[in-house]
Amino acid sequence: MLKVGLTGGIGAGKSEVSRLLVSYGAVLVDADKIAREAVEPGTPGLDAVVEAFGPGVLTADGRLDRPKLGSLVFSDSDRLATLNGIVHPLVRERSAELESAAGEDDIVVHDVPLLVENGLTGLFDLVVVVDASPETQLDRLVRLRGMAESDARSRMAAQATREQRTAAADLVVDNDGPLEKLEPRVREVWERLVERATADAPSDR
């Protein structure tokens, strides 16, 4: 099994890269998806978030109001640390379960937004970083996701810098341009991953 950490700043296009890798044969462990599931209604995770931040972070039907919670934590490092302290252990536990269910010959891609920030590079055989300029990230967040510019800048500021991410990378996917240029770049990365997995595979002899 080859364990790959995939990361990138918000708006860099990491989700599209992970989608392409899955289409080539990767097994995906999506930390964002797991984090959402960890705070679904009725979970201990949501109970802990409400205890820490109050019932004001819930919608009328008892679900987590993500925009409201985001506005509280992304401009306050202490509150963000509190939230991470609740969610991250739950994500790690579920990620380990999904990884253990993969086959020994699989390439398992862990999509982890805060991989660099949380010092997780050592958990993976290779780290792949999806890279885009801050200007491109901001444009995508505001224009495509409809995010207020101030919120977008706060979320970007809460993450590692572009230089910190690329310094941690074994492979970099340049996604600063149009989508049609991305697929061949991701295909090339996939071929590199297959080569590494093959080289690491134990010999039958």
Side-chain angles (χ1 to χ4, degrees):
M1 179 188 297
L2 185 71
K3 294 186 286 187
V4 179
L6 175 69
T7 194
I10 185 170
K14 183 169 48 59
S15 296
E16 183 63 20
V17 172
S18 66
R19 185 191 68 78
L20 288 167
L21 289 172
V22 168
S23 75
Y24 304 148
V27 174
L28 180 65
V29 178
D30 186 337
D32 261 353
K33 180 181 178 183
I34 296 169
R36 289 192 295 272
E37 293 171 349
V39 291
E40 284 291 302
T43 60
L46 183 59
D47 291 343
V49 170
V50 173
E51 183 177 348
F53 296 97
V57 297
L58 294 177
T59 62
D61 61 355
R63 305 186 73 84
L64 184 63
D65 187 334
R66 296 180 185 281
K68 177 64 177 295
L69 181 61
S71 69
L72 294 176
V73 303
F74 285 110
S75 58
D76 186 323
S77 59
D78 290 338
R79 284 185 162 186
L80 181 59
T82 298
L83 178 62
N84 289 342
I86 295 168
V87 176
H88 287 176
L90 300 172
V91 172
R92 284 195 296 269
E93 180 180 358
R94 180 58 178 154
S95 295
E97 291 174 357
L98 293 172
E99 180 185 290
S100 66
E104 62 180 20
D105 296 327
D106 282 330
I107 296 175
V108 181
V109 174
H110 288 260
D111 183 334
V112 185
L114 299 179
L115 187 153
V116 174
E117 291 84 345
N118 291 325
L120 303 178
T121 56
L123 298 179
F124 307 104
D125 300 309
L126 287 168
V127 172
V128 177
V129 169
V130 184
D131 181 58
S133 69
E135 294 79 14
T136 297
Q137 290 176 257
L138 184 63
D139 175 68
R140 289 172 178 166
L141 294 174
V142 174
R143 182 171 54 86
L144 301 181
R145 297 196 194 179
M147 194 178 292
E149 183 174 337
S150 58
D151 287 344
R153 290 187 182 276
S154 292
R155 294 192 181 216
M156 291 169 61
Q159 296 186 334
T161 65
R162 185 184 192 184
E163 292 74 20
Q164 288 169 329
R165 279 190 297 269
T166 55
D170 295 293
L171 298 169
V172 176
V173 179
D174 178 4
N175 191 26
D176 212 33
L179 190 61
E180 58 266 21
K181 292 188 177 181
L182 180 62
E183 196 279 337
R185 291 169 178 164
V186 180
R187 170 67 74 173
E188 182 180 348
V189 166
W190 174 250
E191 291 170 355
R192 297 275 297 276
L193 296 179
V194 171
E195 289 172 4
R196 172 65 182 269
T198 303
D200 288 351
S203 173
D204 292 332
R205 291 177 294 175

